[in-house]
């Protein structure tokens, strides 16, 4: 029997100080270090002492499904791709003077002013206008332009040569860039048109509010829809939709980001867009679908969700017996798991986010910039070459041309250094706020994980002890506190978002008005009287995310926070610099439950032969299946699909990011794992459960399997 019982955390737990980060001076070591593993960030313990078993997490991205749970407790599904009968009318008068005129000369002049791709975009939109198909013309967005004087020249060029078009400036892909947007001037030649209103007239709104006078008053000004996506993160999917609609990505509102390597469904709102326009995109979208449209009065903001419903399929399961699998599943449902921050919280690169957070907290601005820009191990060749080029030449312009667009932080830093050489603090502030705050929050999570491990190691998992922190019984803010427990806000209550691979995080922050409910008064230390009375159970125990408004446990666990931070030359009570956003003492802090039980927990052992065949229907699979079998009278899907049909379901071909047809997401099946012929019957374990906001589903899977959740480990299984 190759499968050995996993020892309890009490025998395997290393001292919490053994996983401290390297000294701040050893930058060479930091940039060359291996991928972050669980012990590096304080993840050591398990609740149960049951033996684990082998199973592959995310062999296919469809093995990990996430459906948002809205504030009313409803699980969000994609059920209908069609737009409802429109009750909204946009009033526009289309006038232009482009018909039948040859603009070859003007386009050639424009080509000398901008990138070739931009000239081709302009030529295409003019050809559309001349062909008489202006009804379907979407705005175009030119390449990022960092030079204000050049942007002015482009605006003037359009005013002089293309009076039937109007331009404005929108935010670019990073903090320092702007883009020029071009669209038909619906106001005509002699009118400034509704599209030309100045930004200051619109106010500082998080969406494009132009055109508000041309919208039916009796209909909500926000279109809400369900976004279904496969193997794409939320920002990427909305960026694609925004580009196709000709609007800014910030026009969308959502309650929380969903991970990339998964199939997810969530609610999204967009300001003043017709459902018919979005529904028309479905035929062109690859790996993305939108549907279930309705108009609402308010847009979504971060945190407006109760959590997420997860459907996770572990493939290639091998255990000493089926009873082992059943016992572990039953224990997970009954006892839950340690509510660690998962590895996703600390990034997937060779420079963990909590190490960057530590340098920020110490005020080492130049060292932090080096951590962002220096060469790293394990990256794609193009990125490595760009980093090495900058290190050798210091050529900012050349490096910016070489860096991929998705490296937002690096590009923002370089753009700022180009304008303000040597001003490293300003360069760090050029990173979008939601990104730059992630690093400090990551360090708080690092401290919390170590404290949670020590709490389990020292006091166990079955009883409350003297000095533990608990939510006050009967406190109306308890539920709210639980939801925001993993995120911190600054003194102004600004909510933040963790944009790293939010693989399995069940939510993000709550809006400001609800965050203000989280106060120290809702948490207290357990007294001897509390223990005698039995008022509190282990499920009530919380630990703080360090900040200025939290209290620490009144037992030995408090020392974990302070001692570990001290080893990193960081104080949790006073700051060494006056930059508030990079200081724990300027943040409120919050609390997080140490133990979490999955809600509405269900599990099922499945048998399969073909490893490339889906075992569970996605929302889109159910739509496709129902269309072939018939719809309800109202055109919507039947409410229930028998899960037993999943084994016999061959949904057919998936599509990759390039639109090519591929049969699923084929990954090799390791014989050493399954010890069986790929054509023989194999075992899978399907789990369905709901978690509140900010809990990590992979930590539940870790408790079940008693193995690491790291990507590197599961690659070895594949």
């Amino acid at each position: 029997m190759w499968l050995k019982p996993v020892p309890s955390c009490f025998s395997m737990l290393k001292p919490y100080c053994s996983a401290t980060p390297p000294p701040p001076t050893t930058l060479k070591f930091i940039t060359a270090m291996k991928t972050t593993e669980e012990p590096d960030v304080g993840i050591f313990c398990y609740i149960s002492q049951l033996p684990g078993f082998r199973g592959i997490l995310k062999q296919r991205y469809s093995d990990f499904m996430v459906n948002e749970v809205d504030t009313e407790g409803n699980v969000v599904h994609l059920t209908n791709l069609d737009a409802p009968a429109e009750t909204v009318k946009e009033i526009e008068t289309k006038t232009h003077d482009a018909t039948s005129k040859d603009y070859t000369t003007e386009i050639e002049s424009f080509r000398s002013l901008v990138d070739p791709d931009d000239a081709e975009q302009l030529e295409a939109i003019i050809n559309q206008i001349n062909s008489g198909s202006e009804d379907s013309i979407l705005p175009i967005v030119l390449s990022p332009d960092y030079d204000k004087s050049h942007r002015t020249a482009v605006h003037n060029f359009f005013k002089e040569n293309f009076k039937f078009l109007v331009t404005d400036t929108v935010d670019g892909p990073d903090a320092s860039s702007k883009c020029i947007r071009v669209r038909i001037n619906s106001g005509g030649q002699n009118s400034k048109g509704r599209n030309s209103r100045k930004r200051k007239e619109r106010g500082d709104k998080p969406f494009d509010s132009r055109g508000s006078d041309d919208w039916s008053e009796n209909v909500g000004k926000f279109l809400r829809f369900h976004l279904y996506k496969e193997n794409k993160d939320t920002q990427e999917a909305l960026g694609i939709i925004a580009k196709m609609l000709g609007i800014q990505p910030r026009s969308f509102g959502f309650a929380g980001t969903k991970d990339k390597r998964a199939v997810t469904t969530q609610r999204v709102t967009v300001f003043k867009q017709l459902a018919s326009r979005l529904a028309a995109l479905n035929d062109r979208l690859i790996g993305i679908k939108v549907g279930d449209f309705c108009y609402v009065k308010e847009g979504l903001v971060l945190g407006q969700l109760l959590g997420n419903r997860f459907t996770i399929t572990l493939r290639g399961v091998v255990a000493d017996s089926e009873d082992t699998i059943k016992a572990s599943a039953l224990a997970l449902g009954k006892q839950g798991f340690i509510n660690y921050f998962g590895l996703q919280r600390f990034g997937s690169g060779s420079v963990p986010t909590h190490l960057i957070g530590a340098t920020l907290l110490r005020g080492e601005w130049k060292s932090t910039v080096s951590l962002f820009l220096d060469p790293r191990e394990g990256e794609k060749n193009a990125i490595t070459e760009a980093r090495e080029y900058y290190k050798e030449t210091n050529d900012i312009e050349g490096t910016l041309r070489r860096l991929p667009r998705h490296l937002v932080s690096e590009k923002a830093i370089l753009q700022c250094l180009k304008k303000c050489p040597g001003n490293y603090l300003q360069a760090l502030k050029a990173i979008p706020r939601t990104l730059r705050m992630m690093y400090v929050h990551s360090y708080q999570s690092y401290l919390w994980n170590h404290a949670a491990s020590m709490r389990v190691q020292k006091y166990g998992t079955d009883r409350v002890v003297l000095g533990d922190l608990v939510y006050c019984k009967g406190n109306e803010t308890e539920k709210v506190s639980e939801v925001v427990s993993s995120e911190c806000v600054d003194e102004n209550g600004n909510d933040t978002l963790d944009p790293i691979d939010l693989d399995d995080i069940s939510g993000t922050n709550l809006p400001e008005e609800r965050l203000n409910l989280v106060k120290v008064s809702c948490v207290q230390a357990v007294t001897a009287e509390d223990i005698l009375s039995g008022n509190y159970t282990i499920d009530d125990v919380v630990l703080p995310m360090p900040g200025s408004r939290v209290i620490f446990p009144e037992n030995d666990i408090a020392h974990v926070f302070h001692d570990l931070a001290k080893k990193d030359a960081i104080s949790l009570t006073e700051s060494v610099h006056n930059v508030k956003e990079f200081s724990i003492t300027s943040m409120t802090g919050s609390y997080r439950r140490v133990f979490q039980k999955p809600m509405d927990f269900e599990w099922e052992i499945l048998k399969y032969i073909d490893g490339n065949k889906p075992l569970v229907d996605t929302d889109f699979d159910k739509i496709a299946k129902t269309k072939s079998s018939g719809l309800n009278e109202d055109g919507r899907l039947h409410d229930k699909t028998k899960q037993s049909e999943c084994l016999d379901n061959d949904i057919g071909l998936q599509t990759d990011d390039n639109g090519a047809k591929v049969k699923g997401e084929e990954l090799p099946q390791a014989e050493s794992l399954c010890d069986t012929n790929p054509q023989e019957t194999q075992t899978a374990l399907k789990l369905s459960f709901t978690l509140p906001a900010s809990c990590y589903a992979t930590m539940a899977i870790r408790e079940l399997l008693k193995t690491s959740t790291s990507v590197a480990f599961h690659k070895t299984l594949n």
Side-chain angles (χ1 to χ4, degrees):
M1 185 74 63
W2 60 267
L3 191 67
K4 297 180 180 179
V6 175
S8 73
C9 66
F10 300 97
S11 60
M12 69 180 294
L13 179 63
K14 302 175 185 177
Y16 66 85
C17 58
S18 68
T20 54
T25 54
T26 58
L27 293 179
K28 226 179 239 188
F29 172 79
I30 292 175
T31 55
M33 71 177 295
K34 62 181 177 62
T35 303
T36 304
E37 298 294 337
E38 289 177 350
D40 298 330
V41 292
I43 302 173
F44 295 110
C45 297
Y46 302 103
I47 290 182
S48 81
Q49 297 186 39
L50 291 171
F53 53 91
R54 294 291 183 96
I56 306 175
L57 177 64
K58 293 190 177 183
Q59 178 172 320
R60 301 163 55 94
Y61 59 77
S62 59
D63 291 339
F64 202 99
M65 299 184 191
V66 187
N67 291 81
E68 189 169 277
V69 179
D70 67 20
T71 52
E72 302 299 317
N74 303 307
V75 180
V76 176
H77 286 282
L78 182 74
T79 63
N80 192 338
L81 299 178
D82 300 324
E86 292 289 9
T87 58
V88 179
K89 293 184 179 180
E90 284 186 304
I91 307 167
E92 290 190 12
T93 305
K94 301 182 185 69
T95 58
H96 58 77
D97 62 354
T99 306
S100 73
K101 181 174 178 180
D102 185 0
Y103 283 89
T104 303
T105 303
E106 288 83 352
I107 292 173
E108 287 305 313
S109 299
F110 186 66
R111 200 181 301 275
S112 64
L113 186 64
V114 298
D115 291 342
D117 290 345
D118 294 334
E120 290 178 9
Q121 284 196 83
L122 176 62
E123 187 172 12
I125 196 173
I126 290 176
N127 288 339
Q128 279 186 283
I129 294 172
N130 283 333
S131 66
S133 59
E134 66 268 19
D135 287 340
S136 60
I137 294 177
L138 295 176
I140 61 174
V141 179
L142 305 184
S143 301
D145 193 338
Y146 302 93
D147 188 339
K148 185 176 182 180
S149 60
H150 181 261
R151 293 198 301 270
T152 301
V154 174
H155 286 303
N156 290 335
F157 186 87
F158 276 94
K159 288 178 182 177
E160 295 171 6
N161 297 281
F162 303 101
K163 298 185 186 301
F164 54 92
L165 298 174
V166 65
T167 61
D168 61 356
T169 302
V170 297
D171 292 335
D174 56 66
S176 303
S177 68
K178 300 289 183 182
C179 296
I180 291 177
R181 177 170 54 178
V182 183
R183 47 189 167 178
I184 291 179
N185 183 358
S186 59
Q189 295 184 47
N190 300 319
S191 169
K192 289 184 177 180
R194 65 180 178 89
N195 292 326
S196 65
R197 289 170 60 190
K198 299 293 184 183
R199 188 184 302 258
K200 62 183 179 183
E201 296 174 29
R202 304 197 307 267
D204 187 20
K205 297 180 180 178
F207 48 80
D208 187 343
S209 64
R210 281 167 286 189
S212 59
D213 295 334
D214 302 329
W215 195 266
S216 301
E217 290 297 327
N218 61 334
V219 177
K221 294 183 179 181
F222 290 86
L223 173 67
R224 190 177 71 198
F225 61 94
H226 292 178
L227 170 67
Y228 168 94
K229 60 183 183 61
E230 300 175 349
N231 207 28
K232 290 179 175 61
D233 61 43
T234 302
Q235 313 281 16
E236 178 186 2
L238 292 179
I240 292 170
I241 295 172
K243 187 172 183 179
M244 295 173 76
L245 292 175
I247 63 177
Q248 297 185 59
R250 68 175 184 172
S251 299
F252 295 102
F254 50 88
T257 61
K258 302 293 182 282
D259 67 310
K260 177 176 180 178
R261 189 170 171 77
V263 175
T264 72
T265 305
Q266 67 187 110
R267 297 166 303 148
V268 177
T269 55
V270 62
F271 186 71
K272 288 193 174 176
Q273 291 291 325
L274 296 176
S276 56
R277 289 193 72 200
L278 270 78
L281 301 180
N282 279 320
D283 291 338
R284 297 158 54 195
L285 289 168
I286 305 298
I288 303 170
K289 299 297 174 187
V290 292
D292 298 275
F293 303 99
C294 67
Y295 294 98
V296 295
K297 293 181 179 180
E298 300 291 337
L300 285 168
V301 297
L302 291 175
Q304 288 185 327
L305 77 168
L306 289 185
N308 283 315
R309 180 76 179 169
F310 296 93
T311 304
I312 300 171
T313 306
L314 298 170
R315 292 179 183 256
V317 171
V318 178
D320 52 2
S321 71
E322 202 164 275
D323 289 339
T324 297
I325 303 172
K326 293 177 179 178
S328 295
L330 289 171
L332 176 62
K334 183 178 180 179
Q335 298 177 319
F337 57 95
I338 302 170
N339 198 20
Y340 287 122
F341 289 96
L343 286 176
Q344 304 92 318
R345 181 73 161 184
F346 306 96
S348 57
S350 60
V351 182
T353 53
H354 71 282
L355 292 186
I356 295 177
T359 59
L360 287 170
L361 292 171
R362 288 192 294 265
E364 298 168 356
W365 317 130
K366 185 175 181 179
S367 296
T368 307
V369 168
S370 295
L371 286 177
F372 276 108
L373 299 180
D374 282 354
R376 306 178 180 184
E377 284 192 352
E379 291 187 314
K380 293 181 179 179
N381 290 338
I383 300 175
T384 299
E385 290 170 3
R387 293 187 188 278
E388 290 176 346
Y389 175 82
Y390 177 70
K391 195 170 185 67
E392 293 170 3
T393 65
N394 247 4
D395 176 12
I396 292 178
E397 284 285 0
T399 306
L400 285 170
R401 287 194 296 269
R402 289 168 169 80
L403 280 176
R405 278 184 72 174
H406 72 271
L407 295 180
V408 175
S409 296
E410 287 84 345
K411 293 177 80 72
I413 287 172
L414 287 171
Q415 286 295 341
C416 186
L417 289 177
K418 176 184 171 184
K419 296 178 181 178
C420 311
N423 193 336
Y424 300 107
L425 173 58
Q426 193 62 35
L428 293 169
K429 286 187 174 183
I431 299 171
R433 177 176 171 78
T434 53
L435 274 176
R436 66 180 186 259
M437 293 309 299
M438 171 188 70
Y439 301 104
V440 176
H441 294 162
S442 178
Y443 186 76
Q444 292 170 302
S445 305
Y446 167 79
L447 296 180
W448 192 97
N449 277 359
H450 279 280
S453 287
M454 182 54 70
R455 169 62 181 77
V456 173
Q457 179 195 34
K458 193 171 182 67
Y459 300 121
T461 64
D462 58 354
R463 62 191 178 95
V464 177
V465 300
L466 192 66
D468 272 341
L469 296 182
V470 292
Y471 285 121
C472 301
K473 289 294 184 182
N475 193 307
E476 294 301 319
T477 66
E478 178 176 347
K479 186 174 181 180
V480 177
S481 300
E482 177 183 346
V483 175
V484 300
S485 60
S486 78
E487 302 289 344
C488 290
V489 293
D490 64 16
E491 293 287 359
N492 297 318
N494 294 323
D495 52 344
T496 60
L497 170 68
D498 187 344
I500 50 181
D501 186 17
L502 292 180
D503 222 75
D504 62 332
I505 304 172
S506 184
T508 54
N509 311 62
L510 288 179
E512 180 178 345
E513 62 271 16
R514 296 182 69 190
L515 284 168
N516 290 335
L517 294 175
V518 184
K519 299 176 181 178
V520 173
S521 60
C522 71
V523 171
Q524 67 179 39
V526 171
T527 64
E529 183 181 347
D530 291 326
I531 294 176
L532 288 174
S533 65
N535 284 337
Y536 298 100
T537 69
I538 193 67
D539 294 330
D540 298 313
V541 176
V542 300
L543 283 172
M545 292 283 284
S548 63
R549 299 183 188 175
V550 299
I551 59 175
F552 289 90
E554 294 180 7
N555 52 36
D556 292 344
I557 308 307
H559 301 306
V560 179
F561 290 96
H562 295 286
D563 292 351
L564 192 54
K566 186 177 180 181
K567 290 177 183 295
D568 296 324
I570 294 169
S571 170
L572 301 182
T573 58
E574 55 187 51
S575 180
V576 297
H577 55 75
N578 59 3
V579 183
K580 287 187 175 182
E581 65 181 290
F582 299 141
S583 170
I584 285 182
T585 57
S586 296
M587 296 182 177
T588 57
S590 57
Y591 299 93
R592 179 178 178 87
R593 291 187 182 276
V594 178
F595 305 100
Q596 179 64 52
K597 291 179 181 177
M599 297 175 285
D600 302 321
F601 182 64
E602 300 173 354
W603 59 273
E604 181 182 1
I605 295 176
L606 306 175
K607 300 294 182 179
Y608 68 99
I609 295 176
D610 187 352
N612 296 317
K613 203 171 185 178
L615 298 181
V616 181
D617 285 348
T618 67
D619 285 352
F620 187 61
D621 291 337
K622 293 174 184 177
I623 290 177
K625 183 182 290 187
T626 307
K627 281 187 175 180
S628 63
S629 61
L631 296 171
N632 289 331
E633 290 182 4
D634 62 357
R636 296 182 66 82
L637 300 177
H638 298 285
D639 291 332
K640 296 181 180 179
T641 302
K642 293 182 180 178
Q643 293 299 320
S644 59
E645 295 176 1
C646 295
L647 291 176
D648 300 321
N649 175 36
D650 187 359
I651 298 303
L653 300 179
Q654 304 280 351
T655 54
D656 64 14
D657 289 341
N658 298 316
K661 297 290 183 179
V662 293
K663 190 172 183 180
E665 183 184 352
E666 299 187 22
L667 291 173
Q669 194 75 12
E671 290 186 14
S672 60
L673 169 68
C674 299
D675 196 28
T676 182
N677 188 294
Q679 293 305 310
E680 293 181 357
T681 301
Q682 298 182 56
T683 300
L685 177 62
K686 187 185 82 169
L687 305 162
S688 298
F689 53 88
T690 300
L691 292 179
S694 301
C695 294
Y696 287 70
T698 49
M699 293 297 99
I701 301 302
R702 175 183 177 275
E703 176 69 32
L704 188 75
L705 300 180
K706 301 297 192 297
T707 56
S708 171
T709 58
S710 73
V711 174
F713 175 78
H714 283 270
K715 279 184 177 179
T716 65
L717 299 187
N718 281 327

